[in-house]
Amino acid sequence: MGERVRAVMVGCGGISHAWLTAARDIPELDMVGLVDLREEAASGRSQEFGLTSAVVSADLEAVLDELSPDAVFDCTPPEVHVDITVRALEHGCHVLGEKPLADSMANARRCLEAASKADRLFAVIQNRRYDPRIRRLRKLLISGELGKLTTLNSDFYIGAHFGGFRDQMEHVLLMDMAIHTFDAARFISGADPVSVYCKEWNPAGSWYDHDASAVAVFGITGGLVYTYRGSWCSEGLNTTWECDWRAIGTQGSATWDGAEAYRAQKVSATGGFHSDMADVVVPPAGPDTRSGGHAGLLREFVDCVLHGGTPETVGTDNIKSLAMVLGAVESAETGREVEVRL
């Protein structure tokens, strides 16, 4: 490997803008190809970002053969992730893909097997992990200041009028959005899913064709319980996109509104009906190269390609977040608690 990473982007729709915005600020990264089934979409991104020397095409196979890039950035819809990922890996490329990792656990496992066989990196964009605000909460919880974490709760309520395909999508909240929150729960707690019971429904007045609200209760390793409550059709009092969080430990609790508001207390004395509590200052996350959303994640991936190492969102770990989503869907469809299976 040289001193630069030559990358091809596949899928030049809306989300590619965030990727390309981040990519242009990484000196070691060269975008040498743009691929989309609608070649005009790839051409449009080429013009928008000044990538006039990049190869523009609707044919990924031809571009891989012509350019032999170091990496492929997959911004395609979930149902084609497995095809793009496996093809890129078979061409010797490292792969960084959009969430979710795949559209099924079987396809996710195919991607991981292909990465292992090719001895190449395969990681997933989970940009919210790279927000310094969530890393600030995680730092407090893993410090032990509040004792052992026992309970983690998140609330997500946003009246989202997207229009387009989401209005007709099945399991729209779980499949399209909850992957972010479930991955955040794993990150905050440092624990992994074991089981889930999920209830989905579509409230009166919803503008979605299918269930757009859900409640899920996860069993997590170490005896931790994680709960998720969410809706994409709740008008008024919207949460942030990062959710409202409450974390309960054996010696105290913390809340975070997904923005800048943190609050934490720990036990200072016991013996009465209520324990005496002392406020806890939630310290800054501190210097961390894993920050900056898409930019931070892309920087880490490029560095790992050039110098070795493993991205935090490597596929072998991120498959656990996908398993949470698909487990919740299975529970909602069957009406029973299910094992979260890898």
Side-chain angles (χ1 to χ4, degrees), residues 13 17 23 28 68 71 79 84 93 99 114 116 149 164-165 170 205-207 212 216 220-221 229 264 318 328:
H17 187 277
E28 303 85 1
S68 297
E79 59 268 22
I84 301 298
C93 303
K99 57 81 185 169
S116 177
L149 187 65
F165 74 92
E170 293 187 3
S206 172
W207 48 94
I220 308 289
T221 52
R229 301 188 302 180
N318 191 255

Side-chain angles (χ1 to χ4, degrees), residues 129 134-135 138 142 182-191 312:
R129 276 188 180 228
I134 196 170
R135 301 187 88 86
R138 181 176 185 269
I142 66 176
F182 294 170
D183 186 71
R186 289 186 54 237
F187 177 64
I188 291 169
S189 67
E312 185 171 281

Side-chain angles (χ1 to χ4, degrees), residues 100-102 104-105 108-109 112 122 124 126 129 178-187 189-196 218-221 226 312-328 339-342:
L101 188 157
S104 71
M105 292 303 292
R109 288 189 287 269
L112 298 187
F122 170 47
V124 181
Q126 294 281 181
R129 276 188 180 228
I179 183 71
H180 285 298
T181 310
F182 294 170
D183 186 71
R186 289 186 54 237
F187 177 64
S189 67
D192 292 323
V194 175
S195 63
V196 59
F218 287 89
I220 308 289
T221 52
Y226 163 59
E312 185 171 281
T313 59
V314 66
T316 49
D317 179 76
N318 191 255
I319 193 173
K320 299 173 185 177
S321 298
L322 176 65
M324 292 178 76
V325 172
L326 297 179
E339 179 185 355
V340 177
R341 297 180 295 272
L342 297 182

Side-chain angles (χ1 to χ4, degrees), residues 77-78 162-170 172 176 208-210 232:
F162 291 106
F165 74 92
R166 289 182 179 86
D167 287 1
Q168 289 82 46
M169 183 177 175
E170 293 187 3
V172 61
D176 198 49
Y208 293 89
D209 290 351
H210 302 283
W232 251 353

Side-chain angles (χ1 to χ4, degrees), residues 142-256:
I142 66 176
S143 72
E145 183 84 5
L146 306 180
K148 180 183 177 181
L149 187 65
T150 66
T151 309
L152 187 63
N153 302 327
S154 63
D155 284 343
F156 176 86
Y157 291 102
I158 289 181
H161 296 262
F162 291 106
F165 74 92
R166 289 182 179 86
D167 287 1
Q168 289 82 46
M169 183 177 175
E170 293 187 3
H171 309 292
V172 61
L173 178 69
L174 293 175
M175 292 296 293
D176 198 49
M177 186 63 207
I179 183 71
H180 285 298
T181 310
F182 294 170
D183 186 71
R186 289 186 54 237
F187 177 64
I188 291 169
S189 67
D192 292 323
V194 175
S195 63
V196 59
Y197 173 77
C198 181
K199 167 69 176 177
E200 272 188 309
W201 72 99
N202 209 23
S206 172
W207 48 94
Y208 293 89
D209 290 351
H210 302 283
D211 294 339
S213 296
V215 171
V217 180
F218 287 89
I220 308 289
T221 52
L224 175 68
V225 172
Y226 163 59
T227 70
Y228 171 84
R229 301 188 302 180
S231 179
W232 251 353
C233 56
S234 57
E235 298 285 41
L237 301 178
N238 286 350
T239 64
T240 67
W241 287 90
E242 313 307 325
C243 299
D244 283 343
W245 293 85
R246 177 180 287 266
I248 304 171
T250 54
Q251 295 298 313
S253 297
T255 61
W256 175 49

